[in-house]
Amino acid sequence: MPDRLWDTSAPAKVILLGEHAVVYGQPAISVAVDLRMRCRIRPDRSSSLNGTPLTPQNYSYVSACIDKRRSGPMAVTTESDFPSGSGLGSSAAVTVALLAALAKCQGGWREDEIARQAFEVESEIQGRASPIDTSTCAHGRGIMIKKRPGEKLLWEISRDTRHWCVHDLDVPEMKLVIGFTGRSAPTGPLVAKVKRYVDRTRFASDIIQEIGQVTEEGARRLAMNDLESLGRLMTRDHKLLAILGVSSVGLDKLVSAALPYSYGAKLTGAGGGGSMIALTDRPDMVVEAIKNKGGQPFIASTGVPGVKEE
Ligand code: MEV
């Protein structure tokens, strides 16, 4: 094995617009940020994560990656700049980084192959999912998911009757403030909660469609570098997500605290806890506001690479 410490790394992701709706085939925009998950592997007699043996009950993402690559038992070590369960895609980042490390040991990897396999792993474990988290961690920079292929198509992914076209997206250099509520919330049950709502009411399906429209408008504003309008759309998206029942008291509190100093703010990821983001040109004020409400702030920059060898 090489004597370098970390084999691969993948970035955290921040969904700017469209989470939950993207599971139903609506568009979504996501960016990679400068917080990374690093992963190192070493063949061993039995598999482990950070020294703890893998069992059928623990670390299902790690076991699923090792099974998918049929690599034999591995001692896996991870180190992360961001908390797990924070809505920043820690499961996707570990899955992407680990699949790439395993593939590297087997001869090499391609970004699209890692994105597809990571989506399969996430779907097997999370249940209903879209490829947004895994594709962002694989590709880095920015991505936009659309119903139909267009310019800068990266890859297409299908599952049951749903189909997603993942595109590279030019994202201006942006400073985002992330506010972690300190409460982790697993994605699977939140996605299932929205599904029950959508299955039962026309109203919830209309909200999903409206999130799609807000996202499309957001993409146009992003292309014009019109951060004020983009921020307003993010705040609108937060309200729509709250109607779907995936915000929380903690998230609403941090969003309200950030808004006076921001173009816009919203929960990011599955919600229910996890993190919110604020688009702002006054990051220090937002950081203070989030701290004052008991949140854990991070200032994050966009424009970072996806999965890579270390
Ligand atoms: C979670 O980061 C994003 C969701 O839309 C779920 C998914 O797309 O798989 C809530």
Side-chain angles (χ1 to χ4, degrees):
M1 290 296 288
D3 55 6
R4 284 175 298 174
L5 191 55
W6 303 105
D7 279 340
T8 54
S9 75
K13 61 85 205 182
V14 167
I15 299 179
L16 294 184
L17 290 167
E19 51 271 268
H20 285 289
V22 67
V23 176
Y24 298 84
Q26 294 293 329
I29 299 173
S30 177
V31 292
V33 295
D34 58 342
L35 302 167
R36 294 193 82 83
M37 169 79 70
R38 285 165 285 274
C39 176
R40 178 194 187 196
I41 56 171
R42 175 173 52 79
D44 205 353
R45 276 199 296 276
S46 61
S47 291
S48 60
L49 176 65
N50 297 327
T52 303
L54 296 189
T55 69
Q57 283 76 40
N58 68 8
Y59 307 128
S60 40
Y61 284 90
V62 173
S63 299
C65 292
I66 292 173
D67 290 350
K68 186 155 286 293
R69 296 294 321 183
R70 294 195 177 87
S71 64
M74 287 284 168
V76 179
T77 313
T78 59
E79 186 198 71
S80 179
D81 298 334
F82 56 104
S84 70
S86 56
L88 303 178
S90 58
S91 317
V94 83
T95 302
V96 162
L98 177 53
L99 285 171
L102 293 167
K104 183 182 153 191
C105 279
Q106 294 165 336
W109 52 274
R110 287 194 332 264
E111 205 176 274
D112 64 320
E113 174 208 18
I114 297 301
R116 278 177 213 290
Q117 289 191 342
F119 172 63
E120 284 165 20
V121 166
E122 192 162 74
S123 301
E124 281 157 25
I125 292 166
Q126 179 177 301
R128 253 175 111 73
S130 84
I132 191 156
D133 291 8
T134 40
S135 285
T136 312
C137 295
H139 180 64
R141 293 171 286 275
I143 66 164
M144 177 156 187
I145 296 203
K146 300 183 191 175
K147 282 183 191 158
R148 279 175 277 281
E151 260 177 54
K152 300 175 115 188
L153 178 71
L154 292 168
W155 46 77
E156 298 186 47
I157 292 185
S158 299
R159 191 160 186 97
D160 48 60
T161 57
R162 295 165 301 154
H163 186 73
W164 297 272
C165 301
V166 181
H167 297 77
D168 176 53
L169 183 71
D170 278 333
V171 179
E173 282 284 310
M174 284 190 291
K175 283 263 184 284
L176 291 166
V177 180
I178 299 169
F180 178 38
T181 57
R183 287 194 48 185
S184 310
T187 301
L190 287 151
V191 171
K193 178 178 172 183
V194 172
K195 178 156 191 319
R196 284 195 297 277
Y197 197 11
V198 168
D199 287 347
R200 276 207 306 264
T201 72
R202 176 69 203 271
F203 177 68
S205 310
D206 289 348
I207 299 286
I208 294 285
Q209 297 245 334
E210 193 173 339
I211 293 177
Q213 287 154 11
V214 164
T215 303
E216 269 162 17
E217 180 60 16
R220 285 190 282 274
R221 296 298 172 168
L222 192 61
M224 295 156 71
N225 207 2
D226 176 359
L227 298 186
E228 275 180 43
S229 303
L230 177 63
R232 270 197 297 278
L233 290 161
M234 287 166 63
T235 308
R236 172 83 194 129
D237 192 17
H238 180 75
K239 291 186 180 139
L240 294 168
L241 289 164
I243 295 171
L244 282 181
V246 296
S247 190
S248 69
V249 174
L251 283 166
D252 288 344
K253 201 165 68 176
L254 298 187
V255 166
S256 304
L259 275 176
Y261 315 106
S262 306
Y263 299 126
K266 63 180 276 290
L267 69 85
T268 188
S275 299
M276 49 70 69
I277 48 166
L279 183 62
T280 177
D281 58 359
R282 287 181 285 170
D284 297 337
M285 306 284 279
V286 178
V287 162
E288 275 313 302
I290 288 173
K291 266 195 213 153
N292 287 340
K293 293 290 174 191
Q296 190 183 335
F298 303 83
I299 298 183
S301 302
T302 58
V304 303
V307 61
K308 62 180 177 111
E309 294 175 19
E310 291 288 318

